[in-house]
Amino acid sequence: MKKENALWWQKGIIYQIYPRSFMDSSGNGVGDLAGVRQRLDYIESLGVEAIWFSPINPSPMKDFGYDVSDYVDVHELYGGMPAFQALLDDAHRRGLKVVIDLVPNHSSDQHAWFQESRSSRDNPKRDWYIWRDPAPDGGPPNNWLSFFGGPAWTFDAHTGQYYLHQFVPEQPELNYRNPAVRQAMLDVMDFWMKLGVDGFRVDVIWLMMKDPDLRDNPLNPEWDGVNPHSKFIHQYTANLPEVHDLIQDMRGVLDRYPERMMVGEIYLPNQELMKYYGNDDECHLPFNFQLIHYPWNAQAYRRAVDQYEADLPAGAWPNWVLGNHDQHRFATRLGVENARTAQMMLLTLRGTPTCYYGDELGMTDGHIPPEFVQDPPAVKQPEIAHIVGRDPERTPMQWNAGPNAGFSPAGVQTWLPVNDNHATVNVEDESKDPKSFLNFFKALAHLRRSEDALCVGSYQSVDAGDDDIFAYLRRAEDGTTFLVVLNFSSRIITLDLGEIARTAEIAVSTDMVSSGTVKLGALIMAEHQGLLLRL
Ligand code: NOJ
């Protein structure tokens, strides 16, 4: 393929913005859309193709926007619909695409649909949510658990039944076995398509159907005893075969419009994940999260990438993720010394990379003092908050070394504390430093954009002769080839890659210093170094 023939979501980088944390233009300590708009020059300068916004809909914020109380409006806190429209227009004028989060599995308990549903057992919307009688002992109808701790059922004394929620109790789950619910959500999608958004990231798409008989989930024999939610295999609450039919209906809405895209949030092994491509009639991109779960090991990464490439159905487009608002930042998980190598990998593998705001600076997890902890799974389960809590990766974007990192005006209490390392890890200072993480990111992103080989070319891993090295070739149709060599270790390693070519030119090095021609027969890789070489 040539990049002229590729679709925008195939060739470009998706940049994820967590709206509460990107830029606070109103001075209330929480980010907003006018703030994002002020920073469009910056976003454009990164060389990304699209922005994905975590939910912007009206929400009581029990799960910081993933509890939607109106699917066809924008939260006043973020500036409402006028602010979104202005941002969308501005972004489009600059050639940036805009993807929004769609959270169809559950609404807020404050949504008018749920208010009606809970009002009486014979309300016409009763069946829009999943209600069941108590078990004979008065307890929940079955053993299903919430991802955030405790049972997935809450008793509603007013009508004497339990309703289902796999996250906080204020996120009741919609019943997609009811055709009216299905149609209502398809209409929501159509509303945003008509407004001109370029796509959806669909929240927990693989959970949208549940067993109609509410069978108990079986015990997980491999449970490590840490997170109670993993005590069961989610056989009857996740990845039900019927979900594919629903997703095809959702895709049908997008296909009525040109070049729209749907990326689904799905945590599943390859064999199951691949089914979410359908016959090119389901997700354009089922999120591929697997690298998030591997320890930093070159051979494990190589095997994972090779296997994923081999498992992809014909014509399906790959994608890669190292970070998002639910995962500890990769610079923390993998170690800051490995962060550049990891970033180089993410931006040079074949397929669409998703980059989480601030990762382009090398941002790390913030320290959250106990009085600031607000993420529901951490609040509910303090004993495992360090594992399940997501506040650390949601701290404010670091724009400069000044008060509040330039995110909010000085003196304002930001909703989560600003990371102390904003003194050095910030946009302003990194922009001036030719060797910074930010300029490294930009060098990779811009080269990726201009080179068919990196943007849409083929992938082939290479036996580099050392277990700490992951190396691969990216080749364009016209033969232009890049070799990526990543040193996962703190050893200096000399490689003999002379069979590939005699010499190569350094296009980008993680140190942002090395340049010129190297001899592949005796290629010296410094500790934690990554090299992007033009053959
Ligand atoms: C997945 C989202 O990414 C996460 O942030 C949220 O808490 C749950 N879905 C519930 O919507």
Side-chain angles (χ1 to χ4, degrees):
M1 178 154 42
K2 290 194 170 28
K3 61 178 183 301
E4 301 83 74
N5 303 328
L7 294 161
W8 64 267
W9 52 268
Q10 295 176 312
K11 61 185 176 198
I13 298 171
I14 300 174
Y15 184 69
Q16 181 190 357
I17 290 185
Y18 194 69
R20 295 179 66 87
S21 300
F22 196 65
M23 182 67 209
D24 167 21
S25 75
S26 67
N28 63 357
V30 181
D32 48 58
L33 295 177
V36 176
R37 203 163 151 225
Q38 287 169 7
R39 298 296 186 176
L40 281 176
D41 279 349
Y42 170 73
I43 297 169
E44 207 182 337
S45 79
L46 293 176
V48 301
E49 193 77 20
I51 310 172
W52 148 35
F53 289 101
S54 284
I56 52 171
N57 304 110
S59 162
M61 296 284 173
K62 298 292 181 195
D63 188 19
F64 299 108
Y66 284 94
D67 47 324
V68 172
S69 53
D70 184 349
Y71 284 104
V72 289
D73 204 351
V74 173
H75 204 308
E76 279 307 318
L77 180 69
Y78 297 142
M81 196 52 107
F84 181 67
Q85 190 69 66
L87 175 59
L88 186 65
D89 292 348
D90 251 14
H92 281 166
R93 215 168 295 126
R94 293 162 184 261
L96 285 166
K97 305 286 184 189
V98 174
V99 173
I100 60 167
D101 223 300
L102 178 75
V103 192
N105 178 64
H106 42 269
S107 71
S108 158
D109 64 345
Q110 299 306 306
H111 196 291
W113 296 341
F114 189 70
Q115 295 287 313
E116 282 190 52
S117 183
R118 82 181 327 173
S119 64
S120 73
R121 285 202 192 196
D122 54 10
N123 183 278
K125 291 222 166 48
R126 184 65 171 181
D127 184 49
W128 279 44
Y129 292 83
I130 300 174
W131 293 95
R132 284 297 185 284
D133 286 334
D137 67 354
N142 65 16
N143 73 354
W144 296 355
L145 294 180
S146 159
F147 278 83
F148 291 171
W153 297 96
T154 287
F155 186 66
D156 182 58
H158 175 60
T159 53
Q161 285 192 311
Y162 281 86
Y163 66 87
L164 179 71
H165 56 83
Q166 294 188 73
F167 297 93
V168 294
E170 294 88 351
Q171 287 167 304
E173 307 223 351
L174 284 150
N175 173 18
Y176 283 94
R177 295 186 188 271
N178 179 331
V181 175
R182 214 156 160 136
Q183 190 54 51
M185 197 49 71
L186 299 178
D187 290 347
V188 165
M189 295 177 78
D190 197 61
F191 170 88
W192 292 103
M193 293 284 91
K194 280 207 176 75
L195 200 82
V197 306
D198 300 287
F200 298 107
R201 174 270 187 191
V202 184
D203 193 63
V204 297
I205 202 167
W206 90 117
L207 305 185
M208 285 180 72
M209 296 298 249
K210 359 273 156 185
D211 181 37
D213 299 327
L214 302 191
R215 278 170 281 186
D216 275 353
N217 275 328
L219 279 170
N220 175 4
E222 286 165 26
W223 185 46
D224 60 6
V226 181
N227 188 342
H229 188 257
S230 317
K231 193 171 169 184
F232 295 96
I233 297 170
H234 305 121
Q235 187 173 339
Y236 297 118
T237 42
N239 195 29
L240 269 78
E242 306 90 292
V243 82
H244 294 284
D245 182 59
L246 171 60
I247 297 173
Q248 285 162 22
D249 279 0
M250 296 168 75
R251 170 68 179 262
V253 177
L254 280 94
D255 284 348
R256 298 208 288 268
Y257 298 84
E259 286 202 34
R260 307 299 164 94
M261 186 275 277
M262 175 159 76
V263 49
E265 186 197 23
I266 303 157
Y267 285 88
L268 285 174
N270 282 354
Q271 295 306 333
E272 289 304 308
L273 183 71
M274 298 309 173
K275 295 182 184 163
Y276 287 76
Y277 282 107
N279 289 318
D280 195 25
D281 56 1
E282 295 190 29
C283 295
H284 297 88
L285 302 174
F287 262 138
N288 169 19
F289 294 124
Q290 58 184 307
L291 294 185
I292 291 175
H293 305 295
Y294 284 101
W296 186 243
N297 174 297
Q299 294 316 305
Y301 272 59
R302 179 186 181 183
R303 276 193 301 275
V305 175
D306 286 357
Q307 192 61 54
Y308 174 80
E309 284 275 354
D311 289 343
L312 276 171
W317 191 253
N319 77 94
W320 300 98
V321 182
L322 277 182
N324 62 34
H325 63 295
D326 294 331
Q327 309 293 339
H328 292 315
R329 284 194 181 267
F330 75 77
T332 297
R333 273 196 337 261
L334 305 174
V336 274
E337 68 284 9
N338 295 312
R340 289 189 184 216
T341 323
Q343 185 72 78
M344 179 175 275
M345 181 186 64
L346 180 66
L347 297 186
T348 57
L349 285 175
R350 187 176 84 93
T352 306
T354 300
C355 297
Y356 185 50
Y357 85 92
D359 280 353
E360 76 276 15
L361 303 175
M363 269 178 71
T364 54
D365 278 1
H367 167 67
I368 312 292
E371 65 276 19
F372 274 100
V373 172
Q374 28 197 325
D375 186 32
V379 172
K380 174 111 183 159
Q381 307 165 101
E383 62 295 349
I384 50 168
H386 58 291
I387 301 170
V388 297
R390 302 166 299 176
D391 294 321
E393 59 264 27
R394 297 174 177 180
T395 59
M397 176 69 172
Q398 295 167 198
W399 294 105
N400 59 44
N404 280 334
F407 164 78
S408 281
V412 168
Q413 177 60 64
T414 55
W415 81 284
L416 283 173
V418 171
N419 193 324
D420 286 344
N421 69 8
H422 75 276
T424 51
V425 179
N426 67 69
V427 172
E428 194 175 297
D429 290 334
E430 291 195 30
S431 298
K432 292 183 217 143
D433 172 3
K435 295 191 289 203
S436 69
F437 202 112
L438 177 58
N439 280 318
F440 166 65
F441 179 97
K442 286 185 182 176
L444 287 170
H446 287 279
L447 192 62
R448 189 180 189 288
R449 199 171 230 187
S450 62
E451 292 288 344
D452 270 15
L454 296 172
C455 188
V456 291
S458 64
Y459 160 90
Q460 176 66 59
S461 68
V462 164
D463 288 325
D466 189 296
D467 280 352
D468 284 326
I469 299 287
F470 176 25
Y472 45 93
L473 295 164
R474 298 292 317 278
R475 182 169 286 131
E477 273 177 14
D478 70 0
T480 309
T481 305
F482 286 83
L483 169 64
V484 183
V485 188
L486 308 171
N487 182 356
F488 276 52
S489 78
S490 50
R491 297 161 45 224
I492 300 170
I493 300 175
T494 304
L495 299 170
D496 179 359
L497 297 173
E499 274 190 15
I500 297 173
R502 209 173 64 77
T503 60
E505 293 296 312
I506 297 179
V508 182
S509 164
T510 42
D511 60 20
M512 290 296 276
V513 176
S514 313
S515 63
T517 307
V518 289
K519 288 204 176 75
L520 292 185
L523 180 67
I524 300 168
M525 298 295 298
E527 307 92 317
H528 311 290
Q529 190 179 21
L531 285 175
L532 174 54
L533 302 166
R534 187 192 295 267
L535 298 188

